[in-house]
Amino acid sequence: MTLREDAARLQPELVALRRRLHRSPEVGFDLPHTQAAVLDALAGLDLEITTGEDLSSVTAVLRGAVGGPSVLLRGDMDALAIVEETGLEYAAVNGAMHACGHDLHVAGLVGAARLLAARRERIAGSVVFMFQPGEEAGGGAPLMIRDGVLDAAGVRVEAAYGIHVGPGSRGTFQLKEGTIMAGANTLRVRVHGRGGHGSRPHQAVDPVPVVAEMILALQAWTTRRVSVFDPVVLSVTKLHAGEIVNVIPEEAGFSATLRTLSEASIAQARTELPPLVERLAAAHGCTADVEVIVGYPVTVNTAPETTDAITVLRDLFGPSRVEELSAPWMASEDFSYVLREVPGAFVFLCATPPEMVGGDIPMNHSPRAVFDDGVLGDQAAALAALALRHVGARSG
C-alpha cells in the first residue's frame, strides 16, 4: 500500500486519539494524561522509548533494518490556559484548550510512527519521534535538546521536520525557505513617579501620561527606526497603573510582545529601546526600569531541506496542495531551537473545516479555534514521507 492509502486506514484511530487529547488538555511541562496517551498509542511498535525526568516528554526511536543516518520528526503536546468556546461535542471543560492544534500534532506524529514502523524493513537508518511539552511560552524544545533528543539514535540527526496546523483551505501545505516564523521577545517597562491626590496633579509626578507617551513613541520607533525590509511587530498587551480612582499612583507600567525576523533587529531593539524609554521618563521627571527579554529565536528553514520538502509534498499530494509562502508568519515557535542545531524545515498545514471557509475564521489561540481532524491521515503521511527522504527507503 502507498503511504496515503495506509494513512487513510489509520484515520479513524488518529481521530479518536486526537479527540481524547482534546477533551483533556494539559498546560506546560507536566502532561501526565497526554504522555500516557502517547505511550499507549505507541505500544507494540518496537520502538526505543524514553521519557523526561523533569518534563512529560516522550522520545521514541525507530531503528531501520540496516544502519544509516537519523532524522527527527516533532510534535508538540501542550495546550493553552484558555476556556474553550467551540461548542464541539468533544470540547474541553477543564479551563484549558488545544487552541493551537497541538492535539492534532500529537496524533499526526503517532500516525507517522505507525506508518514508518510498518516499513521498517525498507528503512536504512533511524527515525527519532520527539513528543514535546512546554511549547507555549515554555521552551520545552531546548530542554529536550539538553536531554539528548537530537542524539537519541546514537548519531546526531541529519535533519528535523515539524508540521503545524493553522487556518486556511483544508489540506494545503505551506512553507518557505529561510525565515518562516519570527523570534518572540518581551519588553517590560515600569515608570516611577510621585503619587498624590487626583485633584492636584501639579503636586505629584504622574507616571500614567508618561506611559501613554511611551506607547505612542514605541509605535513610531517601529516605523521610523526599523527597516521595512526587516520588520518588527511591537504590540503593547498589558498595562498597569494604580488601584484607587482618585489617587495618582507612584508607579505605572506596561509589557509588550516584540516580534523580530533577524538577529540584527533584536540587537537594534536591545540597543535603542531602553534609552528611548528612559529619556522619555526623565523628560517628565520620572525614572524607568526597562527590560528587553530575548525569547524564542527566529525559525529558519534551511534551503536543501525546504527544497526536498516541497518536492516530497508535491509528489505525494500534487502541486496544487503545496504553497510557497512569500513572507514569514510573525508568530513564533520553539522548534526554532531545533533548527538552530540541525538542518530542517517547518511546515504549515491548513485545517479549517470547509463549512467555515469564507467566514470569520478564528485564528490559533482563539477560544473558538476549530481544526478539522480530517487532515490527520495526510499529516501523518507527510511526516513519514519527509523522514523517508533521509533514511534510504524506496518510494511508497
Side-chain angles (χ1 to χ4, degrees):
M1 298 182 71
T2 67
L3 275 175
R4 291 190 65 187
E5 290 170 340
D6 207 356
R9 292 181 62 188
L10 291 176
Q11 176 75 15
E13 65 183 87
L14 299 183
V15 169
L17 173 59
R18 181 262 169 148
R19 296 187 181 189
R20 171 184 173 182
L21 296 171
H22 195 91
R23 288 189 184 96
S24 303
E26 296 172 301
V27 176
F29 296 96
D30 187 22
L31 317 176
H33 169 82
T34 306
Q35 184 186 57
V38 170
L39 294 173
D40 287 348
L42 298 179
L45 295 184
D46 191 20
L47 304 173
E48 298 171 12
I49 295 177
T50 56
T51 56
E53 293 186 4
D54 54 359
L55 70 165
S56 299
S57 61
V58 177
T59 299
V61 179
L62 171 67
R63 304 282 183 184
V66 297
S70 64
V71 62
L72 180 144
L73 303 176
R74 178 267 206 164
D76 40 3
M77 305 193 294
D78 57 319
L80 289 150
I82 293 175
V83 176
E84 183 163 355
E85 299 177 8
T86 62
L88 295 170
E89 62 177 352
Y90 52 90
V93 294
N94 64 353
M97 178 187 175
H98 274 296
C100 206
H102 295 187
D103 49 341
L104 279 85
H105 302 169
V106 173
L109 188 54
V110 166
R114 299 188 73 83
L115 293 171
L116 291 168
R119 290 161 172 77
R120 184 190 309 274
E121 294 303 315
R122 296 166 48 222
I123 292 177
S126 302
V127 184
V128 178
F129 302 95
M130 177 183 178
F131 292 90
Q132 180 210 312
E135 192 281 327
E136 298 289 357
L143 295 179
M144 291 192 70
I145 293 171
R146 175 205 66 186
D147 291 342
V149 69
L150 301 181
D151 303 294
V155 59
R156 170 78 34 137
V157 298
E158 70 169 30
Y161 296 95
I163 292 179
H164 199 302
V165 298
S169 178
R170 185 182 66 180
T172 299
F173 294 89
Q174 299 175 325
L175 70 165
K176 70 180 294 293
E177 178 185 325
T179 298
I180 190 167
M181 296 188 78
N185 315 283
T186 301
L187 173 67
R188 292 179 182 163
V189 175
R190 182 176 294 273
V191 179
H192 307 279
R194 187 173 70 248
H197 200 288
S199 68
R200 301 179 69 81
H202 58 288
Q203 293 180 339
V205 180
D206 190 349
V208 175
V210 182
V211 164
E213 188 170 327
M214 288 174 177
I215 292 171
L216 294 175
L218 290 171
Q219 299 306 316
W221 178 83
T222 63
T223 60
R224 290 296 177 267
R225 292 291 302 156
V226 177
S227 169
V228 296
F229 301 106
D230 186 14
V232 167
V233 171
L234 191 155
S235 296
V236 175
T237 54
K238 186 176 180 181
L239 287 166
H240 55 90
E243 298 289 342
I244 304 171
V245 72
N246 64 346
V247 174
I248 292 173
E250 291 276 331
E251 295 182 351
F254 62 93
S255 298
T257 185
L258 179 64
R259 305 300 171 118
T260 54
L261 294 177
S262 70
E263 294 295 330
S265 58
I266 187 56
Q268 182 183 1
R270 296 180 76 182
T271 299
E272 296 185 6
L273 292 183
L276 171 63
V277 169
E278 289 163 357
R279 289 167 185 167
L280 281 169
H284 294 278
C286 295
T287 61
D289 300 324
V290 190
E291 290 182 283
V292 179
I293 302 166
V294 178
Y296 289 175
V298 173
T299 303
V300 181
N301 286 347
T302 47
E305 288 68 31
T306 305
T307 300
D308 280 352
I310 291 170
T311 300
V312 165
L313 295 173
R314 284 179 173 165
D315 287 348
L316 194 59
F317 300 104
S320 65
R321 287 186 54 187
V322 182
E323 177 186 352
E324 292 191 60
L325 296 172
S326 60
W329 283 23
M330 296 306 288
S332 60
E333 242 291 342
D334 81 344
F335 192 60
S336 55
Y337 289 102
V338 175
L339 294 182
R340 199 163 63 172
E341 298 289 331
V342 297
F346 198 57
V347 180
F348 298 120
L349 173 57
C350 300
T352 297
E355 64 272 16
M356 296 178 65
V357 173
D360 183 14
I361 300 173
M363 292 293 294
N364 295 46
H365 292 211
S366 165
R368 294 172 296 282
V370 176
F371 304 105
D372 192 330
D373 47 26
V375 302
L376 283 171
D378 284 350
Q379 181 184 347
L383 287 167
L386 291 170
L388 291 173
R389 183 77 168 188
H390 290 269
V391 290
R394 297 188 299 273
S395 61

